[in-house]
Amino acid sequence: MAVRLQATQVPGGISGNLSPSNRNPNAVIRFGRGSSKRNRLVSLSASLREGDGRGKESSVRAVEVKKILEDSPLLPKPLSSNQLAETVSNGSRVRVAYQGVRGAYSESAAEKAYPNCEAVPCEEFDTAFEAVERWLVDRAVLPIENSLGGSIHRNYDLLLRHNLHIVGEVKLAVRHCLLANYGVKLEDLRRVLSHPQALAQCENTLTRLGLVREAVDDTAGAAKQIAFEDLSDAAAVASAKAAEIYGLNIVAEDIQDDTDNVTRFLMLAREPIIPGTNRLFKTSIVFSLEEGPGVLFKALAVFALRQINLTKIESRPLRKNPLRASGGLKYFDYLFYVDFEASMADEVAQNALRHLEEFATFLRVLGSYPVDTTML
């Protein structure tokens, strides 16, 4: 039986207006406009640099900054799950969903994957998946693994829950900075805010500085909080871009413990791409197996026998049936996510999956897509 990549039919969905034929092409996510507010935002960094005092004028300025940031058309509020039925893609530019707020590393990854795209911030990973499925955006770019922090387990689970296809990957070098409000010195700092993985990636530096770690949802969100609340004893671990957006001072650059800090992002779409053989391709699959001695070895051998290189293997609990009884004992039941270097247009890859299908209890091709070679 041949293994095929099949396009997924996206249903009308909850609101009943999600297919291309009946969606309103003029409905868009509106973030507001206004030249006066735009000009006020441009002067934000300059106003923050005025004076080193942290008195009444600084407090008043912090309130003004918060108002400017909240009202600015340049800083769209993240799309929430409650807003998913309120807007659709207008077809003008490629709209790409990412998790976080302006200045997030995910935004930079989206812009690297799709130059000149309209990057749409989402509050949660789930929201980004749903936004693509409901035709609100055209693509999503979401992190799947980091060279220091490991796998993003949440997104592995969401890949199986949703019917999206991996159509590409993009790798982004992560360069962390320590950001604080202007006038705040390094010796004034007592705590640092950021995403848990970012804090872990800067463990040695933060320990040397004696800063108390406080975890938040994302790096850019930490920078935004520092600016909004005009904090004088706290800093954020975030990107230089976040410093520019939120008018913060870069207290220290490249504070990550390892210079080889790279995050790999997946590019997701409603339809798969047609795999080719004219360049290096990667294929991602997920499968489950029966319990038994050597079963996983047999599964991986279908690739080794055909000289197919595996680049990633990840196991996740089978949520609907986490425990399996066998021979009077109970075992954990797992799904296995595997990436291998081959295109589904190659007969050798098709034969490998036919072989695997003979004893796998479940098998799904998540995507066959070009490898990002920009950082090799």
Side-chain angles (χ1 to χ4, degrees):
M1 179 172 61
V3 178
R4 299 183 179 88
L5 283 173
Q6 295 182 346
T8 302
Q9 181 74 25
V10 179
I14 297 173
S15 61
N17 64 346
L18 306 177
S19 66
S21 60
N22 60 13
R23 76 180 199 259
N24 178 5
N26 297 318
V28 296
I29 301 174
R30 301 190 183 278
F31 301 129
R33 303 187 185 279
S35 58
S36 62
K37 291 176 182 176
R38 184 182 299 267
N39 293 336
R40 287 162 62 203
L41 184 66
V42 171
S43 63
L44 173 60
S45 295
S47 69
L48 285 170
R49 292 184 179 89
E50 296 176 358
D52 292 332
R54 309 294 302 173
K56 181 177 179 181
E57 291 183 3
S58 178
S59 298
V60 172
R61 189 157 61 249
V63 174
E64 292 175 348
V65 168
K66 181 174 181 180
K67 180 62 177 174
I68 292 171
L69 290 173
E70 287 176 338
D71 293 344
S72 171
L74 299 180
L75 298 176
K77 294 181 178 179
L79 185 66
S80 68
S81 57
N82 294 332
Q83 296 170 308
L84 285 176
E86 298 176 6
T87 181
V88 294
S89 174
N90 64 1
S92 56
R93 283 195 297 164
V94 176
R95 289 165 58 86
V96 182
Y98 68 93
Q99 187 275 328
V101 297
R102 286 291 318 279
Y105 291 107
S106 291
E107 182 186 30
S108 298
E111 292 170 347
K112 180 180 179 182
Y114 298 99
N116 302 316
C117 71
E118 179 184 351
V120 180
C122 297
E123 288 184 344
E124 306 289 344
F125 291 132
D126 312 54
T127 310
F129 274 86
E130 292 176 28
V132 180
E133 286 188 325
R134 300 189 184 190
W135 297 82
L136 310 184
V137 298
D138 305 297
R139 301 285 191 273
V141 173
L142 298 171
I144 196 67
E145 61 177 327
N146 175 267
S147 58
L148 301 181
S151 299
I152 314 297
H153 294 141
R154 178 63 179 164
N155 284 336
Y156 273 105
D157 296 338
L158 290 172
L159 281 172
L160 190 62
R161 184 180 303 176
H162 294 272
N163 292 317
L164 298 183
H165 301 267
I166 304 173
V167 296
E169 66 173 8
V170 61
K171 296 172 183 174
L172 185 74
V174 177
R175 299 182 62 186
H176 290 309
C177 299
L178 192 65
L179 312 181
N181 283 300
Y182 279 91
V184 176
K185 299 178 181 179
L186 191 59
E187 54 266 29
D188 298 329
L189 298 175
R190 296 292 178 269
R191 54 200 178 102
V192 59
L193 286 63
S194 196
H195 187 276
Q197 282 216 6
L199 294 174
Q201 291 163 14
C202 305
E203 177 73 21
N204 293 339
T205 301
L206 300 179
T207 299
R208 187 174 68 254
L209 295 174
L211 299 179
V212 177
R213 287 79 153 169
E214 295 183 14
V216 295
D217 289 339
D218 58 83
T219 56
K224 186 176 180 181
Q225 182 177 343
I226 296 294
F228 269 32
E229 299 180 8
D230 192 33
L231 300 177
S232 60
D233 67 335
V237 174
S239 65
K241 182 177 180 180
E244 180 182 351
I245 291 172
Y246 300 110
L248 296 175
N249 181 35
I250 300 178
V251 179
E253 294 182 293
D254 291 328
I255 63 171
Q256 63 273 4
D257 297 337
D258 195 318
T259 55
D260 294 327
N261 187 5
V262 178
T263 298
R264 174 174 167 249
F265 293 79
L266 297 181
M267 301 153 64
L268 305 174
R270 288 180 292 273
E271 303 294 337
I273 62 171
I274 299 175
T277 57
N278 59 332
R279 57 185 296 187
L280 184 60
F281 263 68
K282 180 183 293 184
T283 299
S284 297
I285 64 172
V286 56
F287 61 90
S288 60
L289 302 166
E290 291 286 355
E291 178 62 36
V295 177
L296 181 57
F297 171 81
K298 287 175 56 180
L300 301 182
V302 306
F303 303 102
L305 289 171
R306 296 169 176 84
Q307 301 299 307
I308 297 175
N309 184 43
L310 302 185
T311 61
K312 172 76 173 176
I313 180 168
E314 182 77 27
S315 62
R316 295 293 296 150
L318 188 59
R319 290 182 176 273
K320 291 184 179 180
N321 187 29
L323 291 175
R324 178 190 304 182
S326 178
L329 299 175
K330 287 189 175 181
Y331 298 89
F332 288 105
D333 221 352
Y334 288 98
L335 290 164
F336 297 96
Y337 292 82
V338 168
D339 295 342
F340 59 87
E341 289 181 342
S343 168
M344 283 306 297
D346 295 330
E347 186 175 359
V348 65
Q350 296 176 21
N351 290 337
L353 293 197
R354 288 192 191 99
H355 191 175
L356 177 59
E357 201 172 28
E358 292 177 4
F359 48 89
T361 57
F362 166 78
L363 173 62
R364 176 177 160 188
V365 177
L366 298 171
S368 190
Y369 49 92
V371 173
D372 179 10
T373 59
T374 59
M375 302 194 71
L376 298 181

